[in-house]
């Protein structure tokens, strides 16, 4: 095992088993996404030492991305090959066109629009990108007929959702990859989902790598499909599709 693999295992262990979760509701109170993200040296040192300290600075960088930026919503309109792979899996596992489907980090709504065109009528999405959410009516105007989309953090949306409200929950990449492990993400996703959860993520090459299979199994979701997308499509990193089903 090389040094890089050792580092990845260490980080997965850190974020899966050693990050305390009870601090989340004690520290994150009425977080203002419009405030400037601080990046002072003392703050950087603090978060290096106290890696478990709850923070939302990762999502703040996405909140105010206009269409002229590298992360602007115009970069997330077309159905790229990896996005198509994710959506094909969501369609395969969700037969009922009236089932509630939840898009974590929907951006400007390309995946929800795809599902609507496939006949799905009960769609939900959340994103922190203010410009992206405001652009949805002009980009995909028909989504208003079948999609309930909110401008919120994923954490806030999940905590305000009823148990097993969604049949299928899915996400594409950065939304869960950049979510600090101080938030009980898998606990909340499995709580609000009744059948399937589908991720297309970087398996270990992101800020908070975790033992995803272990965490989902802990909450009675088993891994039923693991497809290493990057291996078959000659892409950088270790992009993988993970499909979990409630036992």
């Amino acid at each position: 095992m090389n040094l890089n693999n050792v580092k990845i295992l260490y980080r997965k262990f850190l974020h899966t088993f050693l990050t305390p979760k009870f601090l989340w509701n004690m520290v994150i109170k009425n977080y203002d996404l419009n405030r400037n993200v601080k990046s002072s040296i003392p703050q950087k040192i603090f978060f290096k030492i106290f890696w478990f300290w709850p923070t939302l600075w990762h999502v703040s960088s996405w909140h105010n991305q206009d269409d002229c930026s590298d992360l602007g919503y115009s970069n997330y309109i077309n159905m790229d090959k990896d996005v198509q792979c994710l959506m094909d899996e969501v369609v395969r596992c969700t037969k009922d066109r009236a089932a509630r489907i939840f898009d974590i980090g929907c951006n400007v709504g390309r995946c929800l629009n795809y599902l609507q065109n496939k006949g799905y009528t009960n769609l939900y999405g959340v994103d922190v990108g203010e410009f992206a959410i405001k652009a949805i009516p002009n980009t995909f105007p028909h989504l208003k007929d079948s999609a309930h989309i909110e401008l919120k953090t994923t954490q806030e949306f999940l905590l305000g959702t009823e148990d097993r409200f969604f049949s299928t929950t899915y996400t594409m990449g950065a939304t869960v990859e950049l979510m600090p492990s101080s938030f009980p993400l898998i606990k909340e996703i499995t709580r609000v989902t009744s059948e399937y959860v589908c991720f297309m993520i970087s398996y270990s090459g992101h800020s908070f790598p975790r033992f995803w299979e272990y965490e989902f199994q802990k909450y009675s979701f088993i891994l039923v499909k693991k497809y290493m997308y990057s291996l078959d499509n000659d892409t950088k990193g270790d992009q993988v599709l993970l499909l979990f089903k409630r036992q």
Side-chain angles (χ1 to χ4, degrees):
M1 183 178 294
N2 61 39
L3 182 59
N4 186 57
N5 288 336
V6 172
K7 289 181 179 178
I8 291 173
L9 281 175
Y10 166 73
R11 292 175 65 204
K12 284 186 174 183
F13 189 87
L14 193 75
H15 294 300
T16 302
F17 300 107
L18 297 182
T19 304
K21 305 295 191 294
F22 66 89
L23 288 173
W24 182 264
N25 287 326
M26 297 172 59
V27 177
I28 302 295
K29 298 290 184 182
N30 301 318
Y31 189 88
D32 181 8
L33 286 171
N34 293 306
R35 71 183 184 184
N36 292 327
V37 180
K38 298 178 181 178
S39 57
S40 64
I41 292 177
Q43 188 182 48
K44 288 180 179 178
I45 294 174
F46 177 87
F47 284 117
K48 281 289 185 180
I49 297 173
F50 300 99
W51 80 90
F52 54 82
W53 198 258
T55 176
L56 286 174
W57 71 267
H58 288 86
V59 299
S60 296
S61 62
W62 282 85
H63 179 60
N64 295 311
Q65 294 289 339
D66 60 30
D67 193 34
C68 298
S69 68
D70 292 339
L71 298 177
Y73 66 82
S74 62
N75 296 308
Y76 302 94
I77 292 176
N78 296 325
M79 292 293 291
D80 300 330
K81 287 178 63 179
D82 53 349
V83 180
Q84 186 64 60
C85 177
L86 171 66
M87 299 320 297
D88 288 344
E89 198 62 46
V90 171
V91 169
R92 272 194 290 268
C93 69
T94 314
K95 305 300 183 185
D96 183 2
R97 269 21 185 196
R100 295 191 187 107
I101 303 178
F102 177 36
D103 185 337
I104 302 178
C106 63
N107 203 280
V108 75
R110 61 179 172 181
C111 293
L112 294 173
N113 180 68
Y114 177 83
L115 290 173
Q116 183 190 54
N117 289 336
K118 287 290 183 179
Y120 292 93
T121 59
N122 216 348
L123 306 172
Y124 291 76
V126 66
D127 202 276
V128 297
E130 185 172 8
F131 285 91
I133 296 298
K134 288 181 178 179
I136 290 175
N138 291 326
T139 309
F140 299 115
H142 297 296
L143 273 182
K144 68 179 185 298
D145 299 327
S146 59
H148 313 270
I149 302 172
E150 295 191 36
L151 174 63
K152 285 183 177 180
T153 65
T154 298
Q155 293 94 322
E156 183 182 4
F157 187 93
L158 286 171
L159 292 172
T161 301
E162 300 173 13
D163 292 357
R164 304 196 184 190
F165 186 77
F166 303 111
S167 175
T168 301
T169 295
Y170 69 88
T171 191
M172 181 72 202
T175 303
V176 295
E177 292 173 2
L178 297 177
M179 191 171 296
S181 50
S182 54
F183 180 73
L185 175 65
I186 307 308
K187 176 183 178 182
E188 290 301 318
I189 287 179
T190 55
R191 179 184 64 79
V192 303
T193 307
S194 63
E195 294 187 72
Y196 290 96
V197 176
C198 194
F199 282 4
M200 175 68 85
I201 60 172
S202 172
Y203 201 51
S204 58
H206 51 87
S207 299
F208 304 99
R210 296 154 77 164
F211 292 108
W212 299 108
E213 293 97 322
Y214 165 80
E215 290 204 65
F216 274 98
Q217 188 172 17
K218 181 180 176 182
Y219 296 104
S220 300
F221 273 72
I222 59 171
L223 182 68
V224 294
K225 183 172 183 178
K226 180 178 180 179
Y227 168 51
M228 294 302 298
Y229 177 86
S230 55
L231 293 181
D232 288 346
N233 291 274
D234 194 28
T235 59
K236 294 181 179 179
D238 57 352
Q239 199 170 12
V240 60
L241 183 141
L242 302 172
L243 179 65
F244 300 92
K245 181 180 181 180
R246 182 180 289 279
Q247 288 181 302

